[in-house]
């Protein structure tokens, strides 16, 4: 029992759990995705998740000068350049597609990483894109060694 509020610790945890669940659900609705760390932070350190999400909302989700499609393309490029986890890049590719961005527009955005970050960074975004849009390539008709994806 909290001496100041008269609320039991069990009730406090339940209230926080409900609030955290509602918050993570609202994040999913607003973003179109949630990352694994969002889910764990909602349960383990909800105040820090809220603080971090507030910054993301201000820079990314709130309507300002750039529209959401443009912001998704910027996220895809920046995550590609930083060689973020494939799943993180893919979450933004899926949201961009949901917003009406074409696979070709997304590929063109990822290609912007080539001159500044190089082929290795490009390949991480490209591989994420290929899996989401199920892009296929051509196989050589002459003998050649397998080169793999370049990222794994």
């Amino acid at each position: 029992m909290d001496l100041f509020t008269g609320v039991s610790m069990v009730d406090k945890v339940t209230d926080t759990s409900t609030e955290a669940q509602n918050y993570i659900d609202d994040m999913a609705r607003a973003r179109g995705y949630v990352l694994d760390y969002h889910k764990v932070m909602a349960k383990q350190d909800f105040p820090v998740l809220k603080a971090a999400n507030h910054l993301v909302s201000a820079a990314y989700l709130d309507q300002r000068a750039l529209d959401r499609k443009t912001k998704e393309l910027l996220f895809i490029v920046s995550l590609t350049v930083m060689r973020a986890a494939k799943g993180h890049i893919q979450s933004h590719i899926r949201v961009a597609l949901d917003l009406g961005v074409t696979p070709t527009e997304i590929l063109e955005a990822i290609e912007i990483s080539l001159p500044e970050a190089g082929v290795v960074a490009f390949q991480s975004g490209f591989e994420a894109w290929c899996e989401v849009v199920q892009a296929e390539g051509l196989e050589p008709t002459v003998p050649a060694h397998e080169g793999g994806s370049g990222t794994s």
Side-chain angles (χ1 to χ4, degrees), residues 42-71:
K43 187 169 184 175
Q44 302 301 324
D45 198 346
F46 183 49
V48 171
L49 173 65
K50 289 194 310 187
N53 191 54
H54 182 70
L55 175 61
V56 170
S57 291
Y60 164 58
L61 296 173
D62 294 350
Q63 180 57 53
R64 297 173 50 207
L66 297 176
D67 66 12
R68 182 76 187 273
K69 289 179 181 182
T70 302
K71 289 179 182 181

Side-chain angles (χ1 to χ4, degrees), residues 7 23 43 46 51 70 84 88 105 121:
V7 177
Y23 196 84
K43 187 169 184 175
F46 183 49
T70 302
H88 194 174
E105 290 169 324

Side-chain angles (χ1 to χ4, degrees), residues 113-140:
S113 69
L114 275 164
E116 297 303 323
V119 173
V120 174
F122 163 77
Q123 287 173 326
S124 64
F126 182 73
E127 184 177 321
W129 175 83
C130 284
E131 287 182 18
V132 171
V133 302
Q134 299 175 344
E136 296 179 358
L138 298 175
E139 292 295 328

Side-chain angles (χ1 to χ4, degrees):
M1 181 78 62
D2 185 314
L3 296 175
F4 296 106
T5 65
V7 177
S8 78
M9 295 311 276
V10 171
D11 289 339
K12 264 189 172 179
V13 170
T14 302
D15 289 346
T16 302
S17 296
T18 301
E19 182 184 1
Q21 183 63 60
N22 290 338
Y23 196 84
I24 205 82
D25 291 344
D26 288 344
M27 283 179 69
R29 279 189 284 277
R31 293 170 178 237
Y33 69 93
V34 291
L35 300 173
D36 290 343
Y37 94 87
H38 297 139
K39 298 171 193 176
V40 175
M41 288 296 289
K43 187 169 184 175
Q44 302 301 324
D45 198 346
F46 183 49
V48 171
L49 173 65
K50 289 194 310 187
N53 191 54
H54 182 70
L55 175 61
V56 170
S57 291
Y60 164 58
L61 296 173
D62 294 350
Q63 180 57 53
R64 297 173 50 207
L66 297 176
D67 66 12
R68 182 76 187 273
K69 289 179 181 182
T70 302
K71 289 179 182 181
E72 285 302 332
L73 291 171
L74 290 169
F75 249 99
I76 292 165
V77 172
S78 64
L79 291 170
T80 295
V81 167
M82 295 186 322
R83 299 181 197 160
K86 183 172 28 175
H88 194 174
I89 298 169
Q90 289 175 327
S91 66
H92 286 280
I93 291 171
R94 289 184 186 101
V95 170
L97 292 168
D98 290 345
L99 293 170
V101 180
T102 68
T104 302
E105 290 169 324
I106 296 168
L107 176 59
E108 187 174 327
I110 293 168
E111 290 167 346
I112 290 171
S113 69
L114 275 164
E116 297 303 323
V119 173
V120 174
F122 163 77
Q123 287 173 326
S124 64
F126 182 73
E127 184 177 321
W129 175 83
C130 284
E131 287 182 18
V132 171
V133 302
Q134 299 175 344
E136 296 179 358
L138 298 175
E139 292 295 328
T141 58
V142 299
H145 295 285
E146 179 61 41
S149 69
T151 61
S152 47

